Amino acid sequence: MPTPYSALIPLPLNKGPKGFFTTIDLPSGTYQYKFVVDNRRWCFDVMRPVTVDDSGNRNNTVVVGGKQKQSQQKEQKEQKEQKEQKEEKPAEEAAPVATKGKGKGGQQQQQQKQAKQPKQAKKQKEEEGVGEEEGEDEATRSKRVSDIAKNIISTVKSYQVPFYVGDVDCKDSVEDVLAVATHFQTELPSIGCMFLSGGVASFIVAAVVPPEKITYITAVEWVTAALSVVPNPPNPTGSDSFAHAVVAADPDKGIFPIKLKDLSRGPTFGLMRKRGLVQEEESDDEMYFLE
């Protein structure tokens, strides 16, 4: 932390359309921060990265310059992969297939049929909500999903809370979101978690709740709360312990997945507060989840 905790820097917040914010210039580095509510209560944001300082205080952290560097590295990696793909020669070149008795017309029909097959397969995947990175094989996809799951599992472990709501970057793939949820349920079976994914084509929400905690809240109830921001929402699919739902984008009806993902947090936490699963601690500082 560049500035000692004893040397506090007050940062007045401005109210914007998505909440309160402030803008300051900082040199590259890692900074810790906290919110002061009503000039008396210290709070940290449970949806942002958290660290514990030397005095045992839990604070939010922000890395200045880190994301930009990561973005540059990602862009350089993508450019390198694209260059390698262009240089790489295909193992087998597609050759015209002559159909006996059909001549040139038969060759053209066969080529057209072969060209349509990949497009039809891709369209089918999109309709089923099964997304995949371009050129990604099953092994690569499995590793990517595993890495997403490990990241959220690590975050939840650092919070040490029995319920958590988090974003997962699974594009428009229902399959990937459910795979992440399954990984989580296997690794942390005693913790309830909601997963929110907003891509271009769909808003996907999934929830897992341990059997011993469904008396407090069920996965179906939790997902239903998240869907309350959707006009004519679908019914969740699943059980009290594992449920999910998918909402297709529809700009004409004002249904934008990324926007829905952000809006869904309000009713999601509202239900949790109503059930006594999350509340503000008056005496000390923080927003915490009840055991």
Side-chain angles (χ1 to χ4, degrees):
M1 185 173 177
T3 303
Y5 190 72
S6 57
L8 300 177
I9 303 176
L11 301 173
L13 300 178
N14 301 310
K15 189 173 183 179
K18 293 186 177 181
F20 292 92
F21 71 95
T22 187
T23 302
I24 57 174
D25 293 325
L26 293 171
S28 298
T30 301
Y31 296 82
Q32 297 182 22
Y33 65 95
K34 223 163 190 176
F35 300 95
V36 181
V37 180
D38 298 331
N39 293 319
R40 64 184 180 86
R41 188 168 67 250
W42 290 84
C43 300
F44 68 91
D45 187 348
V46 297
M47 301 309 301
R48 301 297 177 185
V50 174
T51 189
V52 179
D53 64 19
D54 295 337
S55 301
N57 301 301
R58 284 186 289 179
N59 307 314
N60 288 117
T61 62
V62 61
V63 178
V64 177
K67 286 187 177 180
Q68 182 178 3
K69 183 176 180 181
Q70 291 176 3
S71 177
Q72 292 174 346
Q73 291 176 342
K74 183 178 180 181
E75 184 177 351
Q76 291 173 355
K77 182 180 178 181
E78 291 176 350
Q79 291 176 348
K80 182 179 179 181
E81 291 176 349
Q82 290 175 357
K83 184 178 179 181
E84 290 175 350
Q85 288 176 358
K86 289 181 180 179
E87 293 176 350
E88 184 179 324
K89 293 183 179 180
E92 296 181 1
E93 292 184 359
V97 179
T99 303
K100 187 175 181 181
K102 293 186 178 180
K104 186 176 180 181
Q107 292 180 9
Q108 291 177 343
Q109 291 178 359
Q110 186 69 18
Q111 290 172 354
Q112 291 173 355
K113 183 177 179 181
Q114 290 175 344
K116 288 181 180 179
Q117 288 177 350
K119 294 181 180 178
Q120 290 173 343
K122 183 177 181 180
K123 182 178 180 182
Q124 182 179 359
K125 280 181 175 291
E126 291 175 348
E127 291 175 348
E128 295 174 352
V130 179
E132 62 178 21
E133 299 289 338
E134 187 175 351
E136 183 180 57
D137 58 26
E138 183 57 30
T140 303
R141 173 194 166 273
S142 179
K143 183 180 184 304
R144 176 174 56 79
V145 169
S146 178
D147 288 343
I148 294 173
K150 288 178 181 178
N151 182 58
I152 196 167
I153 288 170
S154 175
T155 301
V156 174
K157 284 182 176 180
S158 70
Y159 287 149
Q160 298 183 343
V161 294
F163 288 94
Y164 182 79
V165 178
D167 293 347
V168 287
D169 184 15
C170 292
K171 311 302 181 187
D172 293 304
S173 174
V174 181
E175 185 181 47
D176 288 359
V177 173
L178 297 182
V180 170
T182 301
H183 273 288
F184 183 95
Q185 193 176 42
T186 301
E187 292 294 322
L188 299 177
S190 64
I191 295 177
C193 189
M194 173 170 282
F195 309 87
L196 303 173
S197 177
V200 175
S202 58
F203 167 53
I204 306 167
V205 55
V208 295
V209 177
E212 65 272 16
K213 289 187 170 70
I214 60 176
T215 54
Y216 298 106
I217 190 172
T218 69
V220 171
E221 291 174 331
W222 212 1
V223 172
T224 300
L227 294 175
S228 65
V229 299
V230 182
N232 300 316
N235 293 321
T237 300
S239 64
D240 289 345
S241 296
F242 197 124
H244 79 281
V246 183
V247 179
D250 190 339
D252 293 337
K253 295 181 180 179
I255 298 177
F256 301 95
I258 296 176
K259 182 178 180 181
L260 291 178
K261 182 185 71 171
D262 294 336
L263 293 176
S264 66
R265 296 179 181 279
T268 297
F269 278 101
L271 177 61
M272 295 173 70
R273 290 189 180 93
K274 185 177 180 180
R275 299 291 175 86
L277 301 177
V278 58
Q279 69 178 34
E280 293 179 349
E281 187 176 30
E282 294 288 338
S283 60
D284 186 341
D285 54 311
E286 308 169 353
M287 181 76 78
Y288 68 96
F289 293 76
L290 297 179
E291 293 288 356

